[in-house]
Amino acid sequence: MTATLPAAVEAVTPAGVRWRYALMNLGMVIPAQVSSFFFLYYVDHLKVDPVRFAALMSAFALYNAIDNPVIGYLSDRTRSRWGRRRPYLLFATLPTMLFLALLFNAPFDGVSSPGALLLYFGVLWVLWETTGTMMGSAYLSLLPEMFRSFAERTDVAVKMNVVQVVGLLIGLALPPVLAAQIGWGPMGLLFALIGAAAVYGGVGRTFEQPRPERPAQALGAALRATFTNRSFLTVVLAQTMRFVATGTLATGMGFFVKYSLRLDGGLNTTVLLATAFVTAGVFLWPWRQFVARRFGARTTLLLAFALCGVAVLPLLVIQTFEAALATTVLFGVGLAGLILMGDVIMGDVIDEDELRTGERREGSYYGLAGLITTLSSAVVAAAFGWVSARYGYDPKLSVQPDSVAQGFRLFMTVPPLIGSALAVGLMLLYPLHGRRLAEVQAALARRRAEERA
């Protein structure tokens, strides 16, 4: 049953609605994080050529960059008895999870059938990415739609990100252990079932705000309005750098543990990734209570990006599991701030756009954000391919050259460090804070009051 719309758009939604919305985030986080193990599954397990696979992933990032804004634009203009966003959650979730399961059940290997394996992966990846974008764009677009005030959005953000930390633990920390115990195929199917249950368990409590019908902007005009928005550009480029850092951590940790620390890759990788994300979950409340409430979204992100950049530096030299554990704790502290404020600050950007254009264009903004942030996966894939070629990593070798250890140290350190530094610079240029943000919020509140009158 669909949740009852609050009488006034600024009213606080029931706690049950906020929690059910937040729990749906498991269905977004788990598939996205499990996909970080495509490299480990296809390259290290199935033995496909790492450079060819990295090149394919880089090319796919371009497709992902295109389908995000197109799907977001279409969702803004969808009209159905279920609303604009909810049809995508209802009808794209099941295919998304099915394709995810199939991606971890490849019938070929990279030694006897490398071409067939790459083709299988390519076709399924495109199907998975397309339906997953429909599902994810609809879900995120509902956040600023359902929850209108900063206080409510930050409350939902904390709940979402507590759930996200659980999803990160499931999707990033458990796969190596589960793959070793039950195999990659059953692992993929298990996570697909969990993701589907999370989304369908909450979609009935979602709702959309009523609004006056206005002529829709043409695609070209919508793109111009978005890409001339300085607030949007600075935020989304900084977020791209965040995903470079976290994508590198997720993609490279198994390789770093196995080849740089020379430890068993399964359990140790799980513990390190779990530590990072448990720490992030623990520190969500302190970031919200002591930083975000006092300094706002921009300063919170500045501090969090800086901390993440500093945190990865020890990976260049550490030699023990204990040192790696301490490093992941520090990274997790910084990651908590990034996770907490990501969707909150995007809500501010979308509010500013509503003041300018008179439209709620969540789908377009999240879609275009996806276009840009997706480039982070191309950066990560390109860096992985370069390291593999430059430092001699070959999954078909029983013993890797000594240079591989240093290569994966550089992979785990340099992209996140550069990304964090660039993100700090971008957030210093972000204009929607302090007095400017207060003015936008006040003007938008007046407009909404006039529309309700």
Side-chain angles (χ1 to χ4, degrees):
M1 180 177 177
T2 303
T4 302
L5 187 69
V9 295
E10 298 299 337
V12 175
T13 54
V17 171
R18 299 198 298 276
W19 269 115
R20 290 283 287 276
Y21 177 85
L23 287 169
M24 291 173 68
N25 204 23
L26 277 180
M28 313 300 144
V29 175
I30 290 174
Q33 302 310 317
V34 172
S35 69
S36 300
F37 291 93
F38 288 157
F39 274 93
L40 201 60
Y41 175 59
Y42 283 89
V43 174
D44 209 57
H45 180 68
L46 296 180
K47 310 301 182 186
V48 77
D49 179 76
V51 175
R52 292 177 67 189
F53 190 78
L56 188 62
M57 290 295 285
S58 295
F60 284 161
L62 298 178
Y63 171 80
N64 195 4
I66 294 170
D67 82 327
N68 270 280
V70 171
I71 290 170
Y73 178 82
L74 290 175
S75 77
D76 281 342
R77 278 137 191 83
T78 296
R79 299 293 184 270
S80 77
R81 64 191 180 101
W82 300 284
R84 295 190 299 171
R85 320 294 182 191
R86 298 178 74 249
Y88 296 95
L89 291 168
L90 290 168
F91 302 116
T93 297
L94 189 60
T96 299
M97 301 308 169
L98 174 63
F99 296 139
L100 176 68
L102 291 174
L103 279 163
F104 283 102
N105 283 273
F108 311 103
D109 65 72
V111 177
S112 61
S113 306
L117 179 61
L118 288 172
L119 179 62
Y120 175 88
F121 174 76
V123 171
L124 279 172
W125 187 94
V126 169
L127 294 172
W128 171 72
E129 167 55 33
T130 303
T131 55
T133 298
M134 293 177 181
M135 178 186 72
S137 178
Y139 175 71
L140 290 174
S141 296
L142 283 171
L143 191 152
E145 173 93 1
M146 292 172 63
F147 313 110
R148 289 299 182 88
S149 68
F150 180 80
E152 193 172 19
R153 285 174 183 170
T154 53
D155 177 69
V156 172
V158 169
K159 291 178 170 60
M160 282 178 66
N161 291 307
V162 168
V163 172
Q164 179 170 330
V165 169
V166 175
L168 290 169
L169 286 170
I170 295 172
L172 275 181
L174 291 183
V177 170
L178 286 177
Q181 296 296 320
I182 64 175
W184 286 100
M187 179 276 295
L189 177 60
L190 175 62
F191 289 155
L193 291 172
I194 294 172
V199 176
Y200 286 123
V203 69
R205 300 300 303 273
T206 59
F207 60 83
E208 299 180 34
Q209 300 283 0
R211 60 178 44 78
E213 290 291 332
R214 296 185 177 92
Q217 279 186 313
L219 179 58
L223 289 173
R224 283 194 299 274
T226 304
F227 280 111
T228 56
N229 186 332
R230 178 181 163 192
S231 301
F232 170 74
L233 290 177
T234 50
V235 164
V236 79
L237 288 172
Q239 289 288 78
T240 302
M241 297 302 103
R242 164 193 163 184
F243 291 121
V244 167
T246 56
T248 301
L249 181 76
T251 300
M253 185 62 79
F255 296 92
F256 176 78
V257 169
K258 185 175 180 179
Y259 298 113
S260 300
L261 297 182
R262 303 187 189 281
L263 300 171
D264 174 68
L267 181 60
N268 289 308
T269 299
T270 293
V271 171
L272 290 173
L273 290 173
T275 297
F277 298 115
V278 167
T279 303
V282 169
F283 276 85
L284 283 172
W285 186 85
W287 275 101
R288 181 195 181 203
Q289 193 73 14
F290 301 114
V291 183
R293 282 187 171 180
R294 181 174 180 181
F295 299 108
R298 174 178 175 262
T299 299
T300 301
L301 286 171
L302 281 169
L303 294 172
F305 275 120
L307 185 55
C308 285
V310 171
V312 298
L313 285 174
L315 297 176
L316 275 174
V317 296
I318 60 174
Q319 300 293 331
T320 66
F321 176 81
E322 291 76 15
L325 195 65
T327 299
T328 57
V329 168
L330 186 59
F331 185 87
V333 175
L335 181 60
L338 301 183
I339 290 172
L340 176 65
M341 283 293 105
D343 292 320
V344 172
I345 201 167
M346 186 62 76
D348 291 339
V349 170
I350 293 168
D351 286 346
E352 182 189 40
D353 179 76
E354 181 185 358
L355 193 62
R356 291 177 174 177
T357 67
E359 291 189 60
R360 293 295 297 182
R361 299 193 303 129
E362 293 94 342
S364 293
Y365 269 93
Y366 278 107
L368 289 168
L371 182 156
I372 298 171
T373 57
T374 292
L375 298 178
S376 65
S377 63
V379 173
V380 173
F384 183 91
W386 182 85
V387 164
S388 297
R390 174 67 177 79
Y391 289 88
Y393 170 64
D394 183 347
K396 298 181 179 68
L397 296 176
S398 57
V399 178
Q400 299 294 330
D402 291 339
S403 57
V404 169
Q406 185 60 26
F408 284 120
R409 288 183 184 279
L410 291 172
F411 176 72
M412 292 288 283
T413 305
V414 176
L417 181 60
I418 294 175
S420 296
L422 290 173
V424 168
L426 286 162
M427 290 310 302
L428 289 172
L429 300 175
Y430 175 69
L432 194 57
H433 62 96
R435 179 178 297 178
R436 169 61 183 161
L437 178 59
E439 291 171 351
V440 167
Q441 291 170 337
L444 191 56
R446 289 194 297 271
R447 173 181 288 184
R448 288 172 177 167
E450 292 169 359
E451 289 178 349
R452 293 195 300 270

